Amino acid sequence: MGIKVTKFGGTSMADAKSMNQVANIIKSDAQRRYVVVSAPGKRFKEDIKITDLLYSCYYDIEIKGECTDSFNKIRERFIKIVEDLKLDYDIVPELDKVEREMKQYHSPAFCASRGEYLSAVIMSHLLGFKFVDAKELMIFSEEGDFLAEETNENIKNKFKNLKCVVVPGFYGADPLGNIHTFSRGGSDVSGAVIARAVKATIYENWTDVNGFMVTDPRIVDKPEKIDVLSYQELRELSYMGANVLHPDSIFPVRVSGIPINIRNTFEPTNSGTMIVPVVDDVEAKKRVVTGIAGKKGYSTVFIEKSMMNGELGFARKVLSCFEYYNMSIEHMPSGIDTMSIIVADSELAGKEDVLLEKIRQTVNPDHIEIKTGIALIATVGHGMCFNPGTSAKLCLALANANINIRMLDQGSSELNIIVGVTDKDYESAIKAIYHAFY
Ligand code: ASP
């Protein structure tokens, strides 16, 4: 029998009703043996996530030396969940201990981690599964770096004789016992790390949407769902802002070729999106474009110099200036005597003048300037290489929508086409590309 690692996000843990729903999903399949949970998330739009409330507790302790008021909101929420679940379990002593320890250990990571901790304790009572604390499993260095290989060996050993387990997501500990967390949304990473260690047949990531949509539903009304996605396509789309899954959760399952299935706790009959190591040609040919994602907030450093093309090492010298100021670049489309380097505004911020001066001194260009206000859009799909005319179709769609393309970059992998447009054209460009292919 295969092993399924299941991770449930914050909305799946938001109240007793959704936790019961989670329990039904787990009980309906005996392969669902390893369960990773988030802290309770929002029950409605204006609600506050438990993790955010816990960070407020941390700041209250910092300022006032205590957090009784802010912790009361958390206390009430967990007490209500346990009451509504009708569990024969008194959570009050556990809540008292958490409040005490938050003051004692007083670190943002320790405070934030308590949401996942309490969620997992409750789920272990509800399911009758063993609770295993993530601080015994996920190993971080004292500096807070996650140690993937040590953790993998550790979990393999610890889980040898354990059949059904609940683990809190999001955190782990260093060898001194100090708690560290992954970045926000990091329970996805915890689930992926466990899936790798137990050699799961599948990593199910249960959330509140039916999977990845072809594009952002805030821009295109009811976009189609992506049924199958490759790790490579996922990487491209996540990098460009499609954020159903934490980007760091891809590596652990990818190295061992474990598929990820994004599922909806509130619509469990929907098959969701399946993320697989490779999409075969038959699947790839079904569609030209798998997904479209993008981000605003980029600038171009435009450089012009006659005879640039013949100057050996020109590109290297220019790039060394970016490296000197610790900036990563995104793309580098070039002409014969021109070169454009696309950089995120966050990388450039405050360093514009020194960077231009350094480039001037290094390569003595005829002209150099920074053009701001660029949005990048990635159109991604393995199907592109089977369909000549994809870029033409995309460009025509943008032309018909009266959108000027400020940059175009198609890698030779033929997996994606990146276009740069003016910020104000971003939404219309996404719509135009979507409707050209869907
Ligand atoms: N609770 C954490 C957060 O809100 C981690 C997670 O839910 O994955 O970011």
Side-chain angles (χ1 to χ4, degrees):
M1 190 166 67
I3 297 174
K4 292 183 179 174
V5 170
T6 55
K7 179 261 164 179
F8 291 87
T11 18
S12 309
M13 290 288 129
D15 57 19
K17 192 166 170 238
S18 53
M19 282 195 182
N20 270 324
Q21 174 74 359
V22 167
N24 289 337
I25 291 169
I26 295 167
K27 293 271 159 76
S28 69
D29 185 344
Q31 296 180 59
R32 296 189 174 126
R33 289 170 38 196
Y34 299 104
V35 181
V36 177
V37 293
S38 278
K42 292 185 180 195
R43 293 158 291 181
F44 42 89
K45 202 163 167 262
E46 301 74 29
D47 202 10
I48 305 175
K49 289 179 174 189
I50 288 287
T51 310
D52 292 314
L53 292 172
L54 285 161
Y55 279 119
S56 307
C57 289
Y58 167 78
Y59 292 115
D60 278 356
I61 299 169
E62 177 126 308
I63 296 162
K64 303 189 279 187
E66 51 94 14
C67 62
T68 311
D69 285 349
S70 38
F71 192 70
N72 269 343
K73 292 190 196 122
I74 297 169
R75 203 178 258 285
E76 280 162 20
R77 204 148 153 208
F78 278 109
I79 291 176
K80 178 146 176 41
I81 290 177
V82 173
E83 265 172 26
D84 291 351
L85 287 172
K86 300 190 174 47
L87 289 179
D88 182 18
Y89 163 59
D90 182 9
I91 195 173
V92 175
E94 193 65 68
L95 290 165
D96 292 342
K97 184 168 146 237
V98 165
E99 188 177 347
R100 218 174 34 243
E101 287 181 341
M102 289 208 307
K103 277 190 258 174
Q104 185 184 342
Y105 300 123
H106 191 229
S107 81
F110 182 82
C111 293
S113 71
R114 295 304 88 187
E116 272 67 15
Y117 171 81
L118 291 164
S119 227
V121 169
I122 295 175
M123 276 316 283
S124 76
H125 280 90
L126 182 63
L127 293 166
F129 281 21
K130 188 175 166 52
F131 169 84
V132 179
D133 197 333
K135 75 174 187 203
E136 311 294 338
L137 301 176
M138 306 284 163
I139 307 176
F140 286 74
S141 70
E142 283 171 47
E143 292 73 36
D145 296 320
F146 176 60
L147 305 177
E149 299 312 314
E150 282 94 324
T151 299
N152 193 40
E153 289 309 308
N154 184 40
I155 298 177
K156 275 190 204 163
N157 290 331
K158 296 250 163 68
F159 276 15
K160 241 177 217 153
N161 301 312
L162 293 178
K163 199 165 177 306
C164 295
V165 172
V166 182
V167 179
F170 191 38
Y171 72 94
D174 65 28
L176 300 175
N178 298 315
I179 298 290
H180 297 271
T181 59
F182 295 108
S183 57
R184 294 298 302 264
S187 300
D188 285 346
V189 187
S190 313
V193 167
I194 293 178
R196 175 187 175 197
V198 302
K199 298 198 169 55
T201 28
I202 191 160
Y203 171 34
E204 290 182 342
N205 193 293
W206 292 81
T207 173
D208 55 2
V209 291
N210 282 335
F212 275 87
M213 301 298 131
V214 171
T215 194
D216 189 339
R218 288 166 302 185
I219 299 175
V220 170
D221 190 33
K222 298 200 183 70
E224 281 186 34
K225 180 180 69 124
I226 306 176
D227 293 328
V228 184
L229 190 64
S230 74
Y231 282 126
Q232 244 182 325
E233 289 171 324
L234 170 67
R235 170 95 182 103
E236 302 279 349
L237 292 169
S238 307
Y239 184 73
M240 287 308 285
N243 56 7
V244 178
L245 204 62
H246 192 298
D248 294 348
S249 59
I250 302 167
F251 176 73
V253 275
R254 191 174 177 168
V255 284
S256 31
I258 301 167
I260 310 172
N261 191 191
I262 309 287
R263 299 286 293 267
N264 188 350
T265 301
F266 308 98
E267 214 183 305
T269 48
N270 193 304
S271 57
T273 297
M274 190 65 99
I275 301 153
V276 295
V278 270
V279 168
D280 60 32
D281 289 358
V282 180
E283 186 62 42
K285 277 180 192 159
K286 282 188 194 160
R287 74 245 158 179
V288 184
V289 165
T290 307
I292 306 151
K295 278 198 256 183
K296 290 183 183 176
Y298 291 92
S299 293
T300 305
V301 178
F302 176 76
I303 305 169
E304 205 172 358
K305 186 176 185 188
S306 56
M307 308 306 283
M308 173 193 287
N309 201 27
E311 195 175 322
L312 214 60
F314 189 89
R316 181 185 52 75
K317 285 183 212 155
V318 170
L319 292 182
S320 72
C321 302
F322 287 84
E323 190 181 351
Y324 183 83
Y325 286 112
N326 248 327
M327 286 180 212
S328 25
I329 66 147
E330 300 292 325
H331 301 281
M332 201 178 64
S334 60
I336 297 178
D337 287 335
T338 63
M339 179 185 271
S340 301
I341 294 121
I342 318 283
V343 210
D345 291 346
S346 52
E347 293 284 313
L348 206 55
K351 297 181 194 160
E352 293 86 344
D353 293 344
V354 282
L355 175 75
L356 292 192
E357 194 44 41
K358 178 114 186 120
I359 298 176
R360 275 191 200 106
Q361 283 170 10
T362 312
V363 292
N364 191 24
D366 299 334
H367 176 72
I368 179 165
E369 69 176 299
I370 296 181
K371 299 175 184 179
T372 56
I374 293 184
L376 293 181
I377 300 170
T379 303
V380 177
H382 289 296
M384 278 181 200
C385 57
F386 300 104
N387 286 282
T390 307
S391 330
K393 199 168 169 181
L394 188 150
C395 294
L396 187 65
L398 293 176
N400 287 341
N402 215 3
I403 295 166
N404 183 27
I405 299 177
R406 298 185 59 187
M407 184 220 66
L408 182 84
D409 194 359
Q410 176 170 15
S412 52
S413 67
E414 290 191 74
L415 176 67
N416 66 1
I417 301 170
I418 312 271
V419 288
V421 298
T422 304
D423 271 349
K424 74 166 181 30
D425 287 335
Y426 174 68
E427 281 83 7
S428 334
I430 296 247
K431 281 187 194 143
I433 300 172
Y434 178 82
H435 292 298
F437 293 98
Y438 282 87

